[in-house]
């Protein structure tokens, strides 16, 4: 049986897809890269922007004929759009067999089996935020974590680990609290056990995931575990070389967490802390719960405690009522904070959010587009200048695999897997999350090597592996090569 799965959206969705694939493999499925020869086609969807939803509805439209010709194919919609649109998906695409919200993904294998046995269309979603007590709603958004599938990870050396689900912040533009349910933290013992298992499978870097990952709190007897405690426990796991966590909520960037990032060598000196806007009025309309002054203070504290730390951010441009003057305040914030990079989005109204209810989406699209370009150009200028400062420096790089260019070249040549010894353009990341590209050897993938940077642009550092002069005519690699 062949499974095709397409994933849209954030890292949380990538992890969910990994877990769904692992559970379907137990039922005998293998992955295929094409929907045409798949017995089951799944879309793991995102609802954060209209564009992401439109993409899925068009993909479903393209499958109408395939389903008519092969009625045995199972077509399923999973994730946030499934939770948000529920039965509407059956109305818009009646040939869809399965709708499963993010809190019910553990049911996917059973539901697919039932459909195959002639059980007809099936839908499993969690309770909406107003349809029960907090406890009932929490229970209906079950986390789905134990099964892992190395083949679905970004690389075999990196893995996402979910430490919490849901969100209680209710920013006015955001649909996440409705579709992912209340904020719930996983027990630390489960997270440590899962990370240990990943380390035993050869994983070197774990990326802890949560919508507001630094709001992590788990009560155990008299003790409340915070993210800083969790980082300290994960730091002890042998084999794990690097720990990252995304995404942070600015107000929860507490001193104990900054101290943990500063003092634990395996924790990346990189923080993703979305600011969203540089205007207090816009932040208030977004109900972000902090002011620009709070955000500036947090950044100043972070940089004072950890000189050289890299911080990245998210921004929404063209939020309801955003004036040119308010947008310029965002430009000022970006100039001042010098983010490593920023993810910039045009505001997209989401039905079901407070923003859609309270404020008209009144910034014209061409203004949103112009602000997007302007902010991106400023950010790129800053990223390029700050990356140039790395030229001539030696950085430690955890090597992830072939570079995108090398992968493209291999695909174009229809090449088989690279020879284990041949030279290959590789990519990896520094401790502060900067992408580095250099010529290496496939055996080095998964290792940490010193790289000397000789060039840079806004997105990438270019380097070569550092060698040491260890004798009159002898140069050696500073880290001995090991076979993978
Ligand atoms: S903090 Fe705000 S933007 Fe982030 S997931 Fe929660 S509601 Fe959405």
């Amino acid at each position: 049986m062949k499974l095709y799965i397409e994933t849209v959206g954030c890292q949380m969705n990538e992890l969910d897809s990994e877990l769904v694939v692992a559970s379907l493999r137990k039922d005998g499925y293998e992955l295929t890269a094409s929907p045409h020869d798949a017995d089951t086609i799944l879309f793991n969807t995102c609802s954060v922007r209209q564009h992401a939803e439109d993409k899925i509805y068009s993909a479903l439209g393209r499958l109408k004929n395939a389903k008519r010709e092969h009625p045995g194919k199972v077509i399923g919609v999973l994730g946030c759009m499934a939770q948000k649109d529920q039965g509407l998906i059956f109305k818009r695409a009646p040939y869809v067999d399965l709708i499963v919200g993010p809190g019910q993904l553990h049911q996917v294998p059973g539901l697919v089996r039932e459909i195959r046995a002639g059980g007809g269309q099936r839908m499993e979603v969690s309770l909406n935020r107003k349809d029960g007590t907090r406890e009932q709603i929490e229970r209906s958004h079950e986390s789905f974590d134990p099964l892992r599938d190395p083949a679905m990870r970004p690389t075999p050396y990196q893995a996402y680990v979910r430490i919490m689900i849901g969100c209680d912040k209710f920013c006015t533009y955001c649909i996440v609290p409705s579709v992912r349910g209340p904020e719930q933290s996983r027990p630390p013992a489960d997270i440590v056990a899962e990370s240990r298992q990943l380390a035993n499978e050869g994983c070197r870097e774990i990326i802890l995931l949560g919508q507001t990952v630094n709001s992590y709190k788990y009560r155990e007897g008299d003790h409340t575990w915070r993210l800083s405690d969790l980082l300290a426990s994960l730091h002890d796991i042998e084999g794990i070389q690097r720990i990252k966590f995304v995404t942070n909520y600015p107000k929860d960037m507490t001193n104990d967490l900054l101290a943990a990032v500063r003092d634990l060598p395996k924790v990346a000196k990189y923080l993703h802390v979305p600011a969203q806007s540089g205007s207090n009025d816009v932040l208030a309309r977004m109900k972000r719960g902090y002011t620009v002054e709070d955000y500036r203070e947090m950044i100043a504290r972070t940089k004072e405690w950890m000189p050289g730390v890299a911080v990245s951010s998210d921004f929404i441009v063209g939020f309801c009522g955003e004036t040119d003057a308010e947008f310029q305040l965002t430009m000022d914030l970006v100039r001042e904070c010098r983010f490593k990079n920023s993810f910039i989005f045009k505001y997209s109204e989401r039905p079901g959010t407070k923003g859609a209810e309270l404020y008209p989406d009144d910034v014209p699209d061409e203004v949103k587009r112009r602000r997007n370009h302007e902010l991106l150009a400023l950010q790129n200028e800053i990223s390029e200048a700050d990356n140039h400062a790395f030229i001539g420096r030696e950085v430690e790089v955890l090597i992830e695999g072939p570079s995108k260019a090398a992968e493209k070249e291999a695909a174009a040549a229809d090449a088989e897997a690279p020879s284990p010894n041949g030279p290959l353009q590789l990519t990896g990341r520094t401790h502060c999350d900067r992408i580095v590209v250099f010529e290496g050897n496939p055996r080095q993938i998964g290792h940490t090597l010193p790289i000397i940077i000789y060039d840079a642009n806004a997105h990438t550092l270019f380097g070569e592996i550092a060698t040491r002069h260890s004798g009159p005519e002898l140069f050696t690699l500073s880290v001995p090569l090991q076979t993978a």
Side-chain angles (χ1 to χ4, degrees):
M1 300 270 267
K2 290 194 173 155
L3 167 70
Y4 173 82
I5 186 162
E6 201 170 305
T7 307
V8 187
C10 61
Q11 293 113 327
M12 202 63 99
N13 267 13
E14 284 176 39
L15 174 58
D16 280 340
S17 290
E18 180 191 325
L19 304 174
V20 167
V21 170
S23 64
L24 283 169
R25 273 196 213 272
K26 286 187 99 185
D27 270 11
Y29 276 91
E30 60 183 57
L31 280 174
T32 172
S34 156
H36 302 296
D37 48 54
D39 302 287
T40 294
I41 300 171
L42 299 177
F43 294 97
N44 194 7
T45 61
C46 170
S47 264
V48 169
R49 269 167 283 284
Q50 185 62 44
H51 177 67
E53 291 190 359
D54 294 345
K55 220 170 128 180
I56 296 298
Y57 278 114
S58 324
L60 289 174
R62 288 195 294 277
L63 288 174
K64 195 173 173 183
N65 290 339
K67 179 72 177 179
R68 195 182 305 129
E69 285 160 25
H70 306 281
K73 262 187 205 290
V74 174
I75 300 178
V77 178
L78 320 177
C80 294
M81 192 180 100
Q83 178 68 35
K84 176 179 155 281
D85 284 1
Q86 305 191 0
L88 181 68
I89 297 171
F90 286 146
K91 283 203 186 112
R92 289 184 65 173
Y95 43 90
V96 165
D97 302 285
L98 178 65
I99 296 172
V100 186
Q104 302 296 323
L105 294 176
H106 55 284
Q107 301 210 46
V108 169
L111 293 167
V112 171
R113 258 181 263 129
E114 284 171 27
I115 294 164
R116 290 215 163 281
Q121 287 177 318
R122 301 301 309 270
M123 177 167 86
E124 288 295 338
V125 290
S126 303
L127 289 176
N128 294 321
R129 292 287 297 234
K130 288 184 185 143
D131 291 350
T133 62
R134 177 160 180 122
E135 206 191 330
Q136 287 166 331
I137 298 164
E138 278 183 0
R139 269 208 313 273
S140 84
H141 283 269
E142 275 181 50
S143 153
F144 174 43
D145 291 290
L147 285 168
R148 305 303 310 241
D149 189 327
M152 287 296 288
R153 287 187 209 142
T155 73
Y157 308 102
Q158 297 169 296
Y160 296 124
V161 176
R162 191 188 332 257
I163 68 166
M164 58 192 296
I165 58 169
C167 182
D168 287 340
K169 306 292 191 278
F170 288 98
C171 303
T172 56
Y173 55 82
C174 185
I175 195 74
V176 166
S178 307
V179 292
R180 293 249 174 204
E183 203 168 283
Q184 299 181 67
S185 296
R186 278 180 82 197
D190 291 5
I191 298 166
V192 171
E194 189 178 339
S195 305
R196 197 166 279 134
Q197 182 203 328
L198 288 164
N200 291 340
E201 289 169 7
C203 181
R204 298 279 169 268
E205 176 179 286
I206 51 172
I207 304 160
L208 309 180
L209 294 186
Q211 308 294 345
T212 53
V213 71
N214 57 339
S215 312
Y216 178 87
K217 268 189 191 67
Y218 189 86
R219 196 154 178 80
E220 216 169 44
D222 291 343
H223 178 62
T224 299
W225 284 71
R226 293 170 298 177
L227 181 56
S228 52
D229 303 312
L230 191 59
L231 289 173
S233 292
L234 295 169
H235 196 266
D236 290 340
I237 298 176
E238 206 178 314
I240 296 296
Q241 292 176 6
R242 208 172 270 181
I243 306 169
K244 292 182 196 161
F245 50 95
V246 285
T247 288
N248 292 287
Y249 185 63
K251 258 186 100 174
D252 290 335
M253 201 49 85
T254 49
N255 285 348
D256 63 295
L257 178 57
L258 291 183
V261 177
R262 181 193 59 195
D263 299 338
L264 297 170
K266 291 181 183 175
V267 177
K269 304 304 173 246
Y270 161 67
L271 300 168
H272 180 63
V273 200
Q276 304 299 10
S277 172
S279 150
N280 278 336
D281 290 342
V282 175
L283 288 174
R285 291 201 289 281
M286 289 177 167
K287 202 176 147 288
R288 284 289 286 173
Y290 53 85
T291 62
V292 184
E293 291 71 31
D294 295 334
Y295 190 87
R296 284 203 173 98
E297 183 281 322
M298 181 274 300
I299 291 284
R301 193 161 26 105
T302 304
K303 291 189 172 174
E304 188 192 324
W305 285 40
M306 284 176 282
V309 68
V311 182
S312 65
S313 182
D314 292 349
F315 288 96
I316 295 173
V317 293
F319 185 67
C320 311
E322 186 191 63
T323 62
D324 269 331
E326 286 168 341
F327 170 67
Q328 288 308 323
L329 293 172
T330 298
M331 294 282 282
D332 290 346
L333 187 69
V334 169
R335 253 180 229 112
E336 187 185 319
C337 294
R338 296 194 77 82
F339 298 108
K340 174 178 81 74
N341 62 296
S342 291
F343 300 95
I344 301 164
F345 306 98
K346 292 183 293 167
Y347 173 62
S348 166
E349 185 178 272
R350 308 312 298 128
T353 59
K354 275 280 166 213
E357 200 182 294
L358 295 174
Y359 312 114
D361 179 11
D362 53 1
V363 178
D365 200 53
E366 78 262 18
V367 176
K368 287 181 185 168
R369 220 172 311 133
R370 179 168 42 75
R371 289 179 188 166
N372 192 337
H373 286 159
E374 215 177 304
L375 193 56
L376 193 60
L378 172 64
Q379 177 60 61
N380 283 343
E381 203 183 297
I382 292 167
S383 302
E384 183 158 358
D386 288 358
N387 279 353
H388 273 195
F390 279 81
I391 294 176
R393 279 172 56 185
E394 184 177 302
V395 291
E396 284 236 310
V397 175
L398 179 59
I399 303 168
E400 295 172 3
S403 69
K404 281 202 179 113
E407 269 176 353
K408 251 195 218 157
E409 215 176 280
D414 201 16
E416 294 182 354
S419 124
N421 296 313
L424 183 69
Q425 195 182 64
L426 298 175
T427 186
R429 278 172 200 258
T430 64
H431 214 48
C432 57
D433 202 54
R434 285 182 162 86
I435 298 168
V436 182
V437 167
F438 58 97
E439 179 126 322
N441 184 303
R443 287 180 311 184
Q444 293 160 332
I445 297 171
H447 293 272
T448 303
L449 284 182
I451 307 286
I452 295 175
I453 304 304
Y454 62 78
D455 200 3
N457 63 27
H459 312 287
T460 311
L461 307 178
F462 301 92
E464 54 189 27
I465 298 174
T467 53
R468 302 271 182 256
H469 188 194
S470 59
E473 275 145 22
L474 199 60
F475 290 82
T476 58
L477 275 175
S478 53
V479 171
L481 283 184
Q482 299 162 34
T483 44

